[in-house]
């Protein structure tokens, strides 16, 4: 087993365990913190795939902004630090059976898929260059239009969120 | 390329492990004499009043939200900035247009009063 | 390379050949050298903090017209060692109901988040931890890890003051990251890469000359990100009783302290690397060790300026702080970015006088416009009035005084 495989397996276990604990935690704040660990694990996977820009963007945007927002919104609720009891309800046996069947079925169905055993191809030097992504973003024949539409999308998100937050505040007053 | 991240992984592990080791050593060296008054939570020397949960202002959340929007915008601009020296004037104008739209968003937020603290 | 001109590379080569001679594989040698290098950096940074704490206390004392620590050793240089010995042996008082894992993880994570920056900084042309191509974004990203550490500290302490302090601290950090990230686009633009080595190598003319407004905004946001005066609202003793680290004692508190001071020095290092040219200086091609000396000198100058600001300026209120960030720094950063991008493309390339002069002139123009706009639009705002009954201590004369509200 190569070092890359070893690190991948360890990271995958960490991510899966954190994701499970996110769902199964009794306190909401603990769920939020396990979620942060899962996001950090995903950043490690990006780094293993040699997509270093996306690894850092994952930490910067997801852990630095979205996780913080989630923690803030968890604190906005009243039950943030109370023990809300086990989140598992009584149908857990049936759901576990269905999940196992789906997973095993999926494995059996994809057994003959050649890409399951392949290693990722080596990247060309041009793929390591973030400048290529930058050039593609403003090239009129490639991604210039989605680039500009993204800014309008972000504007819509900003205006919408502020309107929801402050529209309601004016209603209360 | 991988060996650079390997160095970072080793560095991160050491950077977490050495403080944890120091904390454990200090935990061994320090006295342990808990008593209920010492261990109670601090509230300016008085007994705590009410549960230790506090309703906080929604303003914190708004700041985080605006930060998220501008963060995503800047992260989209970083590849553009790396390719800056190879761009034509048209590419620069596109990015300026991108930033202008979001500056308009900031103007809206300002006028709406969403960035006042009180 | 000789030992004098480039000691670290010399030692690395000697060790590699020594271990190669023992027949160890190349990857094992590399991993061992990496462990050795990072171990030296981590321990060196943490030990260096003791010198920093002493320097800050001495300088701060001189600013305040008093001698500072001068009992323990000549000029008090062993004072920090004595303090560290004391802090190692203080009891860990864990508050009742504290969440064990977040409470104990927070100090270690806070220190680790600051130490990670040292892995990507180039100390000379040949001495650096690692040259990942996205060093600058990495530095901002680990700031996010520091924010998580603060939240862990505030939440794990089971204390509403700690929680409130933690949220205020994170709100401040998160707000000031906006102009910082926008302004960092300008060095990336001018040097064409996000890697720290490339940014330093591209600074034959330091970026503080080509983009002074970006430098000033970056400097202010670095101080604010660190939580130092004049932005140290979150540790204001009279308001929030030491903020998110109320319930910490012993070495855990010591680590928050270490993280704070180390962050200040690291911020000075980052600023010198990105805007002042890092290890560039006369004569570094022949003797790379000189690069380390230049970097140290530049960092100490920037650190001295940060200390001067800390001991001279009064503390900001939270609404003043947020106004400064969202209404002044962010628009200025956005406009500086747009203007620099446009002007730099229109002027002829290369380090000629027209480009440098043009960029400087545009920055000065932007500065004057901002000054004019500030003086015209931001008048002295009246402080909000607290009306209605407010509880007064018994025996005091009831006079309604105009007071500001802050949550």
């Amino acid at each position: 087993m190569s070092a890359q495989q070893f690190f991948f397996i360890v990271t995958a276990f960490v991510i899966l365990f954190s994701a499970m604990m996110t769902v199964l935690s009794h306190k909401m704040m603990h769920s939020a913190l396990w979620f942060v660990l899962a996001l950090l694990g995903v950043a490690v996977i990006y780094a293993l795939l040699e997509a270093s820009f996306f690894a850092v963007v994952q930490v910067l945007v997801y852990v630095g902004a979205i996780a913080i927002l989630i923690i803030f919104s968890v604190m906005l609720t009243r039950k943030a630090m109370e023990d809300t009891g086990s989140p598992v309800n009584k149908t857990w046996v049936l759901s576990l059976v269905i999940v196992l069947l789906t997973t095993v079925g999926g494995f059996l169905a994809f057994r003959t898929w050649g890409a399951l055993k392949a290693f990722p191809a080596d990247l060309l030097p041009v793929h390591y260059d973030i400048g290529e992504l930058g050039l593609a973003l403003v090239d009129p024949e490639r991604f210039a239009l989605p680039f500009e539409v993204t800014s309008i999308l972000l504007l819509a998100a900003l205006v919408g969120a502020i309107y929801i937050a402050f529209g309601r505040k004016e209603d209360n007053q | 390329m991988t060996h650079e991240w390997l160095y970072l992984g080793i560095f991160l592990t050491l950077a977490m492990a050495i403080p944890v080791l120091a904390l454990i050593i200090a935990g061994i060296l320090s006295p342990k004499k808990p008593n209920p008054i010492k261990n109670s939570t601090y509230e300016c020397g008085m007994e705590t009043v009410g549960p230790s949960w506090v309703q906080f202002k929604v303003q914190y959340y708004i700041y985080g939200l605006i930060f998220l929007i501008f963060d995503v915008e800047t992260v989209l601009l970083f590849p553009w900035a790396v390719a800056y020296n190879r761009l034509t004037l048209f590419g620069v104008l596109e990015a300026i247009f991108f930033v202008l739209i979001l500056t308009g968003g900031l103007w809206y937020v300002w006028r709406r009063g969403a960035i006042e603290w009180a | 390379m000789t030992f004098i001109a480039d000691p670290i590379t010399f030692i690395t080569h000697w060790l590699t050949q020594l271990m190669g001679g023992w027949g160890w594989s190349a990857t094992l040698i590399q991993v061992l050298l990496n462990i050795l290098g990072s171990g030296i950096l981590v321990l060196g940074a943490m030990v260096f903090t003791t010198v920093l704490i002493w320097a800050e206390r001495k300088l701060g004392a001189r600013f305040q017209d008093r001698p500072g620590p001068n009992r323990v050793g000549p000029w008090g240089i062993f004072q920090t060692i004595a303090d560290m010995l004391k802090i190692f042996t203080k009891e860990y008082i864990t508050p009742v109901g504290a969440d064990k894992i977040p409470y104990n993880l927070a100090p270690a994570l806070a220190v680790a988040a600051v130490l990670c920056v040292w892995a990507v900084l180039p100390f000379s042309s040949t001495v650096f931890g690692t040259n990942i191509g996205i060093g600058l974004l990495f530095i901002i990203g680990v700031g996010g890890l520091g924010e998580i550490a603060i939240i862990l500290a505030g939440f794990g302490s089971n204390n509403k003051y700690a929680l409130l302090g933690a949220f205020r601290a994170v709100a401040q950090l998160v707000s000031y990251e906006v102009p910082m990230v926008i302004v960092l686009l300008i060095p990336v633009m001018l040097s064409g890469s996000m890697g720290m080595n490339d940014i330093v190598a591209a600074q034959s003319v330091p970026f503080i000359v080509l983009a002074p407004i970006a430098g000033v905004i970056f400097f202010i946001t670095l101080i604010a990100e660190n939580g130092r005066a004049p932005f140290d609202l979150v540790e204001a003793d009279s308001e929030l009783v030491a903020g998110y680290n109320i319930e910490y004692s012993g070495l855990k508190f010591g680590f928050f302290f270490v993280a704070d001071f180390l962050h200040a020095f690291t911020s000075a290092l980052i600023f010198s690397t990105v805007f002042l040219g890092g290890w560039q200086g006369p004569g570094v091609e022949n003797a790379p060790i000189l690069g380390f000396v230049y970097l140290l000198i530049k960092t100490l100058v920037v650190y001295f300026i940060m200390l001067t600001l800390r001991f001279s300026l009064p503390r900001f209120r939270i609404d003043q702080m947020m106004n400064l960030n969202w209404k002044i720094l962010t628009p200025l950063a956005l406009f500086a970015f747009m203007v620099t991008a446009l002007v730099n493309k229109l002027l002829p390339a290369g380090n000629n006088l027209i480009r440098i002069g043009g960029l400087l002139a545009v920055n000065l123009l932007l500065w004057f416009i901002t000054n004019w706009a500030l003086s015209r639009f931001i008048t002295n705002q009246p402080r909000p009035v607290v009306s209605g009954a407010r509880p007064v201590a018994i025996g005091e004369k009831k006079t309604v005084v105009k007071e500001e509200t802050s949550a």
Side-chain angles (χ1 to χ4, degrees), chain C residues 122-128 196-197 200-201 272-273 276-282 284-285 288 290-295 298:
Chain C
F123 293 106
S124 89
S125 50
T126 50
V127 179
F128 46 88
M196 299 297 272
N197 290 44
V200 175
S272 327
T273 311
L276 292 182
W279 47 254
Q280 297 262 20
V284 273
E285 302 86 20
L290 271 182
F292 183 68
V293 173
Y294 290 141
L295 181 62
K298 290 175 194 172

PDB file of all heavy atoms in Angstrom, chain C residues 122-128 196-197 200-201 272-273 276-282 284-285 288 290-295 298:
ATOM      1  N   PRO C 122       9.382  32.298   3.806  1.00  0.00           N
ATOM      2  CA  PRO C 122      10.781  32.153   3.393  1.00  0.00           C
ATOM      3  C   PRO C 122      11.688  33.029   4.238  1.00  0.00           C
ATOM      4  O   PRO C 122      11.523  34.237   4.285  1.00  0.00           O
ATOM      5  CB  PRO C 122      10.761  32.623   1.938  1.00  0.00           C
ATOM      6  CG  PRO C 122       9.628  33.552   1.859  1.00  0.00           C
ATOM      7  CD  PRO C 122       8.642  33.181   2.903  1.00  0.00           C
ATOM      8  N   PHE C 123      12.630  32.402   4.932  1.00  0.00           N
ATOM      9  CA  PHE C 123      13.524  33.189   5.767  1.00  0.00           C
ATOM     10  C   PHE C 123      14.739  33.670   5.000  1.00  0.00           C
ATOM     11  O   PHE C 123      15.391  34.623   5.402  1.00  0.00           O
ATOM     12  CB  PHE C 123      13.979  32.367   6.979  1.00  0.00           C
ATOM     13  CG  PHE C 123      12.849  32.071   7.912  1.00  0.00           C
ATOM     14  CD1 PHE C 123      12.297  30.817   7.984  1.00  0.00           C
ATOM     15  CD2 PHE C 123      12.318  33.059   8.710  1.00  0.00           C
ATOM     16  CE1 PHE C 123      11.251  30.552   8.827  1.00  0.00           C
ATOM     17  CE2 PHE C 123      11.275  32.809   9.552  1.00  0.00           C
ATOM     18  CZ  PHE C 123      10.731  31.546   9.616  1.00  0.00           C
ATOM     19  N   SER C 124      15.066  32.996   3.927  1.00  0.00           N
ATOM     20  CA  SER C 124      16.073  33.510   3.011  1.00  0.00           C
ATOM     21  C   SER C 124      15.816  32.807   1.694  1.00  0.00           C
ATOM     22  O   SER C 124      14.878  32.038   1.595  1.00  0.00           O
ATOM     23  CB  SER C 124      17.490  33.275   3.521  1.00  0.00           C
ATOM     24  OG  SER C 124      17.957  32.035   3.084  1.00  0.00           O
ATOM     25  N   SER C 125      16.647  33.049   0.712  1.00  0.00           N
ATOM     26  CA  SER C 125      16.332  32.463  -0.587  1.00  0.00           C
ATOM     27  C   SER C 125      16.425  30.947  -0.565  1.00  0.00           C
ATOM     28  O   SER C 125      15.838  30.278  -1.393  1.00  0.00           O
ATOM     29  CB  SER C 125      17.253  33.032  -1.661  1.00  0.00           C
ATOM     30  OG  SER C 125      18.589  32.931  -1.228  1.00  0.00           O
ATOM     31  N   THR C 126      17.154  30.388   0.399  1.00  0.00           N
ATOM     32  CA  THR C 126      17.266  28.933   0.443  1.00  0.00           C
ATOM     33  C   THR C 126      16.653  28.321   1.685  1.00  0.00           C
ATOM     34  O   THR C 126      16.484  27.112   1.743  1.00  0.00           O
ATOM     35  CB  THR C 126      18.740  28.507   0.412  1.00  0.00           C
ATOM     36  OG1 THR C 126      19.423  29.252   1.397  1.00  0.00           O
ATOM     37  CG2 THR C 126      19.337  28.756  -0.943  1.00  0.00           C
ATOM     38  N   VAL C 127      16.314  29.117   2.655  1.00  0.00           N
ATOM     39  CA  VAL C 127      15.788  28.578   3.902  1.00  0.00           C
ATOM     40  C   VAL C 127      14.305  28.870   3.971  1.00  0.00           C
ATOM     41  O   VAL C 127      13.890  30.002   4.183  1.00  0.00           O
ATOM     42  CB  VAL C 127      16.479  29.203   5.126  1.00  0.00           C
ATOM     43  CG1 VAL C 127      15.899  28.641   6.394  1.00  0.00           C
ATOM     44  CG2 VAL C 127      17.946  28.958   5.069  1.00  0.00           C
ATOM     45  N   PHE C 128      13.513  27.829   3.745  1.00  0.00           N
ATOM     46  CA  PHE C 128      12.087  27.999   3.965  1.00  0.00           C
ATOM     47  C   PHE C 128      11.546  26.637   4.318  1.00  0.00           C
ATOM     48  O   PHE C 128      12.158  25.629   4.051  1.00  0.00           O
ATOM     49  CB  PHE C 128      11.384  28.564   2.734  1.00  0.00           C
ATOM     50  CG  PHE C 128      11.788  27.890   1.459  1.00  0.00           C
ATOM     51  CD1 PHE C 128      11.139  26.755   1.018  1.00  0.00           C
ATOM     52  CD2 PHE C 128      12.810  28.412   0.684  1.00  0.00           C
ATOM     53  CE1 PHE C 128      11.512  26.147  -0.159  1.00  0.00           C
ATOM     54  CE2 PHE C 128      13.188  27.806  -0.491  1.00  0.00           C
ATOM     55  CZ  PHE C 128      12.536  26.676  -0.914  1.00  0.00           C
ATOM     56  N   MET C 196       4.732  32.331  -1.425  1.00  0.00           N
ATOM     57  CA  MET C 196       5.474  33.371  -0.729  1.00  0.00           C
ATOM     58  C   MET C 196       6.862  33.566  -1.337  1.00  0.00           C
ATOM     59  O   MET C 196       7.354  34.690  -1.434  1.00  0.00           O
ATOM     60  CB  MET C 196       5.637  33.021   0.753  1.00  0.00           C
ATOM     61  CG  MET C 196       4.337  32.878   1.472  1.00  0.00           C
ATOM     62  SD  MET C 196       3.418  34.400   1.507  1.00  0.00           S
ATOM     63  CE  MET C 196       4.054  35.160   2.966  1.00  0.00           C
ATOM     64  N   ASN C 197       7.486  32.466  -1.761  1.00  0.00           N
ATOM     65  CA  ASN C 197       8.810  32.601  -2.361  1.00  0.00           C
ATOM     66  C   ASN C 197       8.758  33.473  -3.605  1.00  0.00           C
ATOM     67  O   ASN C 197       9.611  34.346  -3.807  1.00  0.00           O
ATOM     68  CB  ASN C 197       9.364  31.227  -2.737  1.00  0.00           C
ATOM     69  CG  ASN C 197       9.703  30.434  -1.519  1.00  0.00           C
ATOM     70  OD1 ASN C 197       8.940  30.404  -0.591  1.00  0.00           O
ATOM     71  ND2 ASN C 197      10.849  29.793  -1.526  1.00  0.00           N
ATOM     72  N   VAL C 200       8.266  37.205  -2.755  1.00  0.00           N
ATOM     73  CA  VAL C 200       9.490  37.873  -2.320  1.00  0.00           C
ATOM     74  C   VAL C 200      10.441  38.057  -3.485  1.00  0.00           C
ATOM     75  O   VAL C 200      11.052  39.116  -3.650  1.00  0.00           O
ATOM     76  CB  VAL C 200      10.173  37.073  -1.193  1.00  0.00           C
ATOM     77  CG1 VAL C 200      11.490  37.697  -0.849  1.00  0.00           C
ATOM     78  CG2 VAL C 200       9.299  37.041   0.023  1.00  0.00           C
ATOM     79  N   ALA C 201      10.535  37.042  -4.336  1.00  0.00           N
ATOM     80  CA  ALA C 201      11.484  37.130  -5.444  1.00  0.00           C
ATOM     81  C   ALA C 201      11.086  38.211  -6.429  1.00  0.00           C
ATOM     82  O   ALA C 201      11.929  38.752  -7.140  1.00  0.00           O
ATOM     83  CB  ALA C 201      11.569  35.781  -6.157  1.00  0.00           C
ATOM     84  N   SER C 272       6.407  42.074   6.539  1.00  0.00           N
ATOM     85  CA  SER C 272       7.708  42.322   5.925  1.00  0.00           C
ATOM     86  C   SER C 272       7.915  41.468   4.692  1.00  0.00           C
ATOM     87  O   SER C 272       8.518  41.909   3.728  1.00  0.00           O
ATOM     88  CB  SER C 272       8.849  42.033   6.890  1.00  0.00           C
ATOM     89  OG  SER C 272       8.491  42.317   8.175  1.00  0.00           O
ATOM     90  N   THR C 273       7.396  40.239   4.726  1.00  0.00           N
ATOM     91  CA  THR C 273       7.603  39.371   3.573  1.00  0.00           C
ATOM     92  C   THR C 273       6.794  39.837   2.376  1.00  0.00           C
ATOM     93  O   THR C 273       7.286  39.861   1.256  1.00  0.00           O
ATOM     94  CB  THR C 273       7.188  37.936   3.918  1.00  0.00           C
ATOM     95  OG1 THR C 273       7.785  37.585   5.142  1.00  0.00           O
ATOM     96  CG2 THR C 273       7.622  36.980   2.853  1.00  0.00           C
ATOM     97  N   LEU C 276       7.394  44.416   2.325  1.00  0.00           N
ATOM     98  CA  LEU C 276       8.662  45.113   2.440  1.00  0.00           C
ATOM     99  C   LEU C 276       9.792  44.393   1.718  1.00  0.00           C
ATOM    100  O   LEU C 276      10.919  44.814   1.792  1.00  0.00           O
ATOM    101  CB  LEU C 276       9.047  45.277   3.914  1.00  0.00           C
ATOM    102  CG  LEU C 276       8.160  46.225   4.700  1.00  0.00           C
ATOM    103  CD1 LEU C 276       8.673  46.341   6.111  1.00  0.00           C
ATOM    104  CD2 LEU C 276       8.171  47.591   4.063  1.00  0.00           C
ATOM    105  N   GLY C 277       9.500  43.283   1.071  1.00  0.00           N
ATOM    106  CA  GLY C 277      10.547  42.643   0.292  1.00  0.00           C
ATOM    107  C   GLY C 277      11.225  41.490   0.975  1.00  0.00           C
ATOM    108  O   GLY C 277      12.163  40.940   0.434  1.00  0.00           O
ATOM    109  N   GLY C 278      10.799  41.095   2.170  1.00  0.00           N
ATOM    110  CA  GLY C 278      11.312  39.874   2.775  1.00  0.00           C
ATOM    111  C   GLY C 278      12.814  39.865   2.921  1.00  0.00           C
ATOM    112  O   GLY C 278      13.397  40.737   3.541  1.00  0.00           O
ATOM    113  N   TRP C 279      13.418  38.880   2.321  1.00  0.00           N
ATOM    114  CA  TRP C 279      14.864  38.749   2.463  1.00  0.00           C
ATOM    115  C   TRP C 279      15.636  39.510   1.386  1.00  0.00           C
ATOM    116  O   TRP C 279      16.845  39.328   1.251  1.00  0.00           O
ATOM    117  CB  TRP C 279      15.275  37.292   2.462  1.00  0.00           C
ATOM    118  CG  TRP C 279      14.665  36.444   1.397  1.00  0.00           C
ATOM    119  CD1 TRP C 279      13.689  35.528   1.568  1.00  0.00           C
ATOM    120  CD2 TRP C 279      15.024  36.399   0.008  1.00  0.00           C
ATOM    121  NE1 TRP C 279      13.399  34.919   0.385  1.00  0.00           N
ATOM    122  CE2 TRP C 279      14.192  35.437  -0.590  1.00  0.00           C
ATOM    123  CE3 TRP C 279      15.939  37.068  -0.784  1.00  0.00           C
ATOM    124  CZ2 TRP C 279      14.262  35.130  -1.949  1.00  0.00           C
ATOM    125  CZ3 TRP C 279      16.015  36.765  -2.137  1.00  0.00           C
ATOM    126  CH2 TRP C 279      15.171  35.810  -2.700  1.00  0.00           C
ATOM    127  N   GLN C 280      14.952  40.340   0.615  1.00  0.00           N
ATOM    128  CA  GLN C 280      15.678  41.087  -0.414  1.00  0.00           C
ATOM    129  C   GLN C 280      16.503  42.175   0.224  1.00  0.00           C
ATOM    130  O   GLN C 280      16.115  42.788   1.207  1.00  0.00           O
ATOM    131  CB  GLN C 280      14.685  41.736  -1.379  1.00  0.00           C
ATOM    132  CG  GLN C 280      13.842  40.752  -2.132  1.00  0.00           C
ATOM    133  CD  GLN C 280      14.393  40.499  -3.490  1.00  0.00           C
ATOM    134  OE1 GLN C 280      15.564  40.755  -3.750  1.00  0.00           O
ATOM    135  NE2 GLN C 280      13.559  39.987  -4.376  1.00  0.00           N
ATOM    136  N   GLY C 281      17.602  42.452  -0.347  1.00  0.00           N
ATOM    137  CA  GLY C 281      18.478  43.496   0.158  1.00  0.00           C
ATOM    138  C   GLY C 281      19.782  43.412  -0.594  1.00  0.00           C
ATOM    139  O   GLY C 281      19.993  42.493  -1.383  1.00  0.00           O
ATOM    140  N   PRO C 282      20.694  44.375  -0.376  1.00  0.00           N
ATOM    141  CA  PRO C 282      21.961  44.329  -1.118  1.00  0.00           C
ATOM    142  C   PRO C 282      22.800  43.128  -0.724  1.00  0.00           C
ATOM    143  O   PRO C 282      22.975  42.852   0.453  1.00  0.00           O
ATOM    144  CB  PRO C 282      22.646  45.643  -0.727  1.00  0.00           C
ATOM    145  CG  PRO C 282      21.987  46.080   0.502  1.00  0.00           C
ATOM    146  CD  PRO C 282      20.589  45.565   0.461  1.00  0.00           C
ATOM    147  N   VAL C 284      22.378  39.722  -1.322  1.00  0.00           N
ATOM    148  CA  VAL C 284      21.869  38.418  -0.908  1.00  0.00           C
ATOM    149  C   VAL C 284      22.191  37.333  -1.914  1.00  0.00           C
ATOM    150  O   VAL C 284      22.084  36.162  -1.598  1.00  0.00           O
ATOM    151  CB  VAL C 284      20.354  38.422  -0.691  1.00  0.00           C
ATOM    152  CG1 VAL C 284      20.048  38.854   0.694  1.00  0.00           C
ATOM    153  CG2 VAL C 284      19.652  39.259  -1.698  1.00  0.00           C
ATOM    154  N   GLU C 285      22.570  37.709  -3.159  1.00  0.00           N
ATOM    155  CA  GLU C 285      22.822  36.625  -4.105  1.00  0.00           C
ATOM    156  C   GLU C 285      24.028  35.825  -3.693  1.00  0.00           C
ATOM    157  O   GLU C 285      24.084  34.612  -3.861  1.00  0.00           O
ATOM    158  CB  GLU C 285      23.045  37.182  -5.529  1.00  0.00           C
ATOM    159  CG  GLU C 285      21.891  38.012  -6.062  1.00  0.00           C
ATOM    160  CD  GLU C 285      22.010  39.452  -5.623  1.00  0.00           C
ATOM    161  OE1 GLU C 285      23.120  39.857  -5.257  1.00  0.00           O
ATOM    162  OE2 GLU C 285      21.001  40.166  -5.603  1.00  0.00           O
ATOM    163  N   PRO C 288      23.345  34.077   1.087  1.00  0.00           N
ATOM    164  CA  PRO C 288      21.935  34.019   1.482  1.00  0.00           C
ATOM    165  C   PRO C 288      21.677  34.247   2.947  1.00  0.00           C
ATOM    166  O   PRO C 288      20.558  34.602   3.316  1.00  0.00           O
ATOM    167  CB  PRO C 288      21.508  32.613   1.053  1.00  0.00           C
ATOM    168  CG  PRO C 288      22.439  32.258  -0.030  1.00  0.00           C
ATOM    169  CD  PRO C 288      23.738  32.904   0.312  1.00  0.00           C
ATOM    170  N   LEU C 290      22.566  36.630   4.605  1.00  0.00           N
ATOM    171  CA  LEU C 290      22.240  38.039   4.793  1.00  0.00           C
ATOM    172  C   LEU C 290      20.744  38.281   4.658  1.00  0.00           C
ATOM    173  O   LEU C 290      20.192  39.184   5.273  1.00  0.00           O
ATOM    174  CB  LEU C 290      22.971  38.884   3.731  1.00  0.00           C
ATOM    175  CG  LEU C 290      24.359  39.360   4.085  1.00  0.00           C
ATOM    176  CD1 LEU C 290      24.896  40.203   2.948  1.00  0.00           C
ATOM    177  CD2 LEU C 290      24.334  40.162   5.349  1.00  0.00           C
ATOM    178  N   GLY C 291      20.087  37.448   3.840  1.00  0.00           N
ATOM    179  CA  GLY C 291      18.641  37.590   3.675  1.00  0.00           C
ATOM    180  C   GLY C 291      17.924  37.440   4.998  1.00  0.00           C
ATOM    181  O   GLY C 291      16.976  38.178   5.307  1.00  0.00           O
ATOM    182  N   PHE C 292      18.387  36.481   5.794  1.00  0.00           N
ATOM    183  CA  PHE C 292      17.782  36.277   7.100  1.00  0.00           C
ATOM    184  C   PHE C 292      17.959  37.511   7.971  1.00  0.00           C
ATOM    185  O   PHE C 292      17.036  37.940   8.674  1.00  0.00           O
ATOM    186  CB  PHE C 292      18.424  35.042   7.734  1.00  0.00           C
ATOM    187  CG  PHE C 292      17.838  34.678   9.053  1.00  0.00           C
ATOM    188  CD1 PHE C 292      16.547  34.216   9.142  1.00  0.00           C
ATOM    189  CD2 PHE C 292      18.583  34.801  10.207  1.00  0.00           C
ATOM    190  CE1 PHE C 292      15.999  33.879  10.346  1.00  0.00           C
ATOM    191  CE2 PHE C 292      18.031  34.461  11.424  1.00  0.00           C
ATOM    192  CZ  PHE C 292      16.742  33.994  11.489  1.00  0.00           C
ATOM    193  N   VAL C 293      19.138  38.113   7.904  1.00  0.00           N
ATOM    194  CA  VAL C 293      19.391  39.312   8.698  1.00  0.00           C
ATOM    195  C   VAL C 293      18.492  40.458   8.261  1.00  0.00           C
ATOM    196  O   VAL C 293      17.908  41.180   9.081  1.00  0.00           O
ATOM    197  CB  VAL C 293      20.882  39.695   8.577  1.00  0.00           C
ATOM    198  CG1 VAL C 293      21.144  41.023   9.234  1.00  0.00           C
ATOM    199  CG2 VAL C 293      21.732  38.625   9.193  1.00  0.00           C
ATOM    200  N   TYR C 294      18.353  40.626   6.922  1.00  0.00           N
ATOM    201  CA  TYR C 294      17.493  41.715   6.442  1.00  0.00           C
ATOM    202  C   TYR C 294      16.066  41.513   6.898  1.00  0.00           C
ATOM    203  O   TYR C 294      15.382  42.452   7.332  1.00  0.00           O
ATOM    204  CB  TYR C 294      17.539  41.786   4.914  1.00  0.00           C
ATOM    205  CG  TYR C 294      18.843  42.277   4.360  1.00  0.00           C
ATOM    206  CD1 TYR C 294      19.377  41.722   3.209  1.00  0.00           C
ATOM    207  CD2 TYR C 294      19.541  43.301   4.975  1.00  0.00           C
ATOM    208  CE1 TYR C 294      20.567  42.167   2.698  1.00  0.00           C
ATOM    209  CE2 TYR C 294      20.735  43.749   4.467  1.00  0.00           C
ATOM    210  CZ  TYR C 294      21.247  43.165   3.327  1.00  0.00           C
ATOM    211  OH  TYR C 294      22.429  43.613   2.823  1.00  0.00           O
ATOM    212  N   LEU C 295      15.606  40.266   6.783  1.00  0.00           N
ATOM    213  CA  LEU C 295      14.222  39.990   7.180  1.00  0.00           C
ATOM    214  C   LEU C 295      14.032  40.301   8.651  1.00  0.00           C
ATOM    215  O   LEU C 295      13.012  40.890   9.051  1.00  0.00           O
ATOM    216  CB  LEU C 295      13.884  38.527   6.892  1.00  0.00           C
ATOM    217  CG  LEU C 295      12.463  38.108   7.245  1.00  0.00           C
ATOM    218  CD1 LEU C 295      11.477  38.886   6.427  1.00  0.00           C
ATOM    219  CD2 LEU C 295      12.282  36.626   6.998  1.00  0.00           C
ATOM    220  N   LYS C 298      13.826  44.101   9.175  1.00  0.00           N
ATOM    221  CA  LYS C 298      12.537  44.658   8.737  1.00  0.00           C
ATOM    222  C   LYS C 298      11.421  44.259   9.702  1.00  0.00           C
ATOM    223  O   LYS C 298      10.564  45.074  10.054  1.00  0.00           O
ATOM    224  CB  LYS C 298      12.203  44.145   7.330  1.00  0.00           C
ATOM    225  CG  LYS C 298      13.074  44.691   6.253  1.00  0.00           C
ATOM    226  CD  LYS C 298      12.756  44.030   4.913  1.00  0.00           C
ATOM    227  CE  LYS C 298      13.854  44.343   3.927  1.00  0.00           C
ATOM    228  NZ  LYS C 298      13.707  43.597   2.685  1.00  0.00           N
TER     229      LYS C 298
END
